[in-house]
Amino acid sequence: MARTRTEVLSYAKPQQVEASGCYAITFIRPTGANPVMVNGYLLADGQSLQIQQNVGDEDRSTYDIVFYTGAGANDLTVIKIMPE
């Protein structure tokens, strides 16, 4: 089994997120946060989007994050499982 480390990151502005060779990446929109799209996919309130690679593969993607104006705050949590 591969040795891994977990990175937990927070984003509050539109930008690109590099997967940086992760084995899995999860985007989480907290309940009450402003609407956010990840690569054109709209996350519903409180919803998460998880992308996993096949065993032995690494994600080298770049993900576009776009926030939309709402009553809440811009808030997106990203969790990456990285090789160590």
Side-chain angles (χ1 to χ4, degrees), residues 49-78:
L49 170 64
Q50 183 178 31
I51 302 167
Q52 294 180 304
Q53 301 306 307
N54 293 322
V55 174
D57 290 341
E58 297 178 355
D59 189 345
R60 299 283 178 193
S61 303
T62 300
Y63 296 95
D64 291 312
I65 295 173
V66 178
F67 289 95
Y68 293 91
T69 304
N74 289 352
D75 188 8
L76 180 70
T77 301
V78 177

